[in-house]
Amino acid sequence: LTHPQPPYQHQQQQHRQQEQRHRQLPSAARPKTAPVSAVGGALGTAAAAEAGVRVAKCAVPRRRPERRLKLSVHAKQYVPSDGFGGISPERKAANHLRTLFTFVAVKIVLAQLEGSGRGALGAYNQTDYETLSGLLQAEPVRDGDEWLAKLMRKNSLLAVRVLEVREAYCEEDFEYEQLERLARKDMREANVRLMRSFASSSFGSALADVDSSSSESDGERGASSGTSRDARDARGGGGGGG
């Protein structure tokens, strides 16, 4: 008795026999093989089969899905344009910094003129020192440009010196990174301090209200107990007299 072969083994045998017959044929008699992209695009798979051309299966590479970067864009808060006279907060801060740099430059030049912390008598240029210190005492630096314009009318060379020192300090010496760090740190600490102060004051007022209400209730209870005691004494006195 012969057992029937499984269908997949029969198919494998047929496939091996076809390959052997294909190898035995001469190269000229072998059927032509063309990729799907060359034949299928022009004739199609059915037309290529009718033309006697065997279509070879080409492995088409899979296209990887494109990864889209998710950018978390933080929407900035809206600042009204009339908040600082039509200028931005950054421009307002820059104006204040320019005035600050002017004051710092004046102090630097004064220290250079007096020399090593000595007074006006030991200054290298006593006239310029007196001019600069006198204007600083008479006119506080509220606007750097206006103050320098006044100094320019008094002593142009001294004003140019202050201008150069102000620009050099702004570009080379001022620590902008430290300014940002301190501004953020002080802002957080100030917010926490204000919230704690408000919470403690609110808690203290709540405790005061509780204490006042408890004292009022104690007074009312004391008054009611005194009234009841007087009533009992009055009843006791009346009974003894009878």
Side-chain angles (χ1 to χ4, degrees), residues 33-177:
T33 304
V36 176
S37 59
V39 178
L43 302 176
T45 306
E50 293 178 359
V53 180
R54 190 174 64 181
V55 179
K57 295 182 180 180
C58 298
V60 180
R62 293 183 178 180
R63 186 177 181 182
R64 294 182 178 180
E66 298 180 356
R67 294 183 179 179
R68 296 182 179 179
L69 298 177
K70 296 182 179 180
L71 301 178
S72 58
V73 180
H74 175 67
K76 293 185 177 181
Q77 301 185 51
Y78 170 72
V79 180
S81 59
D82 58 347
F84 299 100
I87 62 176
S88 63
E90 291 79 9
R91 171 58 62 186
K92 188 70 174 179
N95 294 340
H96 285 296
L97 282 177
R98 189 167 66 254
T99 300
L100 174 64
F101 295 157
T102 303
F103 180 78
V104 173
V106 171
K107 287 294 187 179
I108 292 174
V109 173
L110 283 174
Q112 293 173 355
L113 291 174
E114 66 183 3
S116 302
R118 291 177 292 179
L121 296 177
Y124 292 109
N125 192 332
Q126 185 175 356
T127 304
D128 290 348
Y129 179 85
E130 291 177 354
T131 301
L132 191 58
S133 61
L135 182 60
L136 184 61
Q137 293 177 1
E139 298 286 342
V141 183
R142 294 187 178 90
D143 187 288
D145 296 341
E146 292 181 0
W147 195 90
L148 284 174
K150 295 177 182 179
L151 180 62
M152 192 77 69
R153 289 191 291 268
K154 289 180 175 291
N155 191 332
S156 59
L157 294 178
L158 185 59
V160 170
R161 182 174 179 177
V162 175
L163 285 173
E164 293 176 351
V165 172
R166 179 176 75 163
E167 184 177 358
Y169 181 80
C170 173
E171 294 181 355
E172 300 176 3
D173 298 335
F174 188 75
E175 299 291 341
Y176 292 95
E177 295 180 357

Side-chain angles (χ1 to χ4, degrees), residues 194-210:
L194 289 172
M195 292 299 295
R196 285 179 178 175
S197 176
F198 175 74
S200 61
S201 62
S202 300
F203 185 70
S205 61
L207 287 179
D209 294 339
V210 171

Side-chain angles (χ1 to χ4, degrees), residues 171-222:
E171 294 181 355
E172 300 176 3
D173 298 335
F174 188 75
E175 299 291 341
Y176 292 95
E177 295 180 357
Q178 186 177 2
L179 169 65
E180 181 180 2
R181 182 180 59 82
L182 291 175
R184 293 175 182 271
K185 177 177 175 292
D186 294 346
M187 182 64 67
R188 289 192 296 267
E189 292 179 354
N191 288 345
V192 172
R193 184 171 59 253
L194 289 172
M195 292 299 295
R196 285 179 178 175
S197 176
F198 175 74
S200 61
S201 62
S202 300
F203 185 70
S205 61
L207 287 179
D209 294 339
V210 171
D211 293 339
S212 62
S213 61
S214 61
S215 61
E216 290 177 358
S217 60
D218 292 341
E220 291 177 357
R221 285 196 297 269

